[in-house]
Amino acid sequence: MDKQTFFELYAPLAIEQQQKFGIPASVTLAQMALESGWGEGRAIKEGNNAFCVKGSYNGQYVLISDNAKNEKFRKYDTLAQSFDDHSRLLMKDRYRQAPGSDYKVWTAGIQKGGYAYPPDGYAEKLNRLIESNSLQRYDVMGLSPAQRVDRQVVQPWGQERGRFSMPLGASDG
């Protein structure tokens, strides 16, 4: 599957997580691409584990040799469970950022929290994936209509004088 198809396929799950937890969809998509090997890794294929989260989930796990031989990686019944569990993990104090923070704040926090080993350069890898694939567009899709208006770029006041007007009421006539 090509990159664009990958992102379009998984964007709805990432956007849903953004709306529930405030984690930018771009960050979720970039982490999934990197951690799952674009959906081709053993953790996702054998355990629906899109983010290579170690440990067990409801007692279920898959053994995969990663940094050490036969490490436990969480096994989920569905991919949606993997997305939800990943978001809950990122909401722990170790990784959490302020809701609405941009993706670079989140990727730096994820690296600082030690999500990947070795952590050096992890944020930069995620940022490159986000920027080279224009994943920020999914962050905007995950905003409420009011949040979208707040993010629109408006022309500064004072330019093009005379082009703005206030609505007149019936008595202003």
Side-chain angles (χ1 to χ4, degrees), residues 1 6 10 32-42 44-45 50:
M1 142 180 6
F6 176 90
Y10 298 113
M32 181 186 181
L34 189 62
E35 296 294 338
S36 75
W38 297 94
E40 297 298 321
R42 282 190 58 209
I44 193 169
K45 286 188 170 191

Side-chain angles (χ1 to χ4, degrees), residues 49-88:
N49 187 338
F51 305 95
C52 286
V53 179
K54 292 183 179 179
S56 64
Y57 182 80
N58 294 333
Q60 297 183 79
Y61 59 89
V62 176
L63 293 176
I64 300 173
S65 295
D66 187 38
N67 298 329
K69 188 173 176 148
N70 289 328
E71 291 183 277
K72 290 182 181 179
F73 283 80
R74 295 178 186 184
K75 182 177 181 180
Y76 304 94
D77 294 328
T78 66
L79 202 54
Q81 283 179 332
S82 175
F83 272 74
D84 196 62
D85 189 48
H86 173 258
S87 293
R88 291 179 191 286

Side-chain angles (χ1 to χ4, degrees), residues 23-36:
I23 303 162
S26 61
V27 172
T28 300
L29 288 168
Q31 271 201 289
M32 181 186 181
L34 189 62
E35 296 294 338
S36 75

